[in-house]
Amino acid sequence: AQYNAEELLSKRAEVSNRIKSELIKRGAHFHLTLDDVAITHLTFGREFMRAIESKQVAFQEAERQQYVVQRAEQERIASVTRAEGEAEAATIITKAMEKTGNAIIEVRRIDAAKEIAQKLAKGRNITYLPGGSSGGGDSSSPGLLLSVDK
């Protein structure tokens, strides 16, 4: 009763040596000689085993929570970096527009139109109906893209 259950596990060699010395002293009265004493199997009560299991579960949960916090921190850093990149891109675009006017917007519009045209050109059932001018003025209506199903 000199050691609690936790100490029996953590100080196993010390406990074993102490038991050995006590048994050698007691055995000497009966002319017994002991060569070695080994603690091979320890059994604990259910309550202690539940306490150990609860402690392990709590430790694992704490580690999992720490991982979740680290992951959230990494996601936050990634979001900040992404936002900084978008802000820098917006600044660059604004400066370019100040220098060139709306030319950059027209270039992007043309690029988008090319991309759409390439995708539509691969489709089989796409028909283009060009727009015409109504009346004879300079204003013309835009063309229409139709998906024709059979």
Side-chain angles (χ1 to χ4, degrees), residues 2-72:
Q2 294 177 2
Y3 297 95
N4 63 29
E6 188 175 337
E7 290 175 331
L8 287 175
L9 293 172
S10 63
K11 300 177 179 179
R12 193 175 201 139
E14 180 184 327
V15 173
S16 180
N17 287 334
R18 181 125 185 212
I19 291 172
K20 179 180 176 183
S21 66
E22 288 295 321
L23 286 176
I24 288 173
K25 285 181 192 175
R26 289 182 184 181
H29 294 291
F30 300 102
H31 305 291
L32 294 173
T33 304
L34 296 174
D35 289 331
D36 194 19
V37 174
I39 300 174
T40 57
H41 184 70
L42 293 174
T43 311
F44 299 102
R46 290 181 186 165
E47 187 174 312
F48 181 72
M49 295 306 288
R50 277 192 225 117
I52 289 175
E53 186 177 326
S54 296
K55 185 177 179 180
Q56 288 174 339
V57 168
F59 180 74
Q60 289 172 349
E61 181 64 21
E63 282 184 334
R64 189 181 76 75
Q65 290 298 329
Q66 188 176 17
Y67 168 76
V68 168
V69 168
Q70 287 174 348
R71 183 173 165 207

Side-chain angles (χ1 to χ4, degrees), residues 82-108:
R82 212 174 5 261
E84 287 172 350
E86 289 173 2
E88 187 176 337
T91 303
I92 292 170
I93 290 171
T94 302
K95 286 179 182 177
M97 286 180 63
E98 287 173 357
K99 288 180 183 178
T100 62
N102 290 338
I104 193 165
I105 294 174
E106 287 301 318
V107 169
R108 287 203 173 183

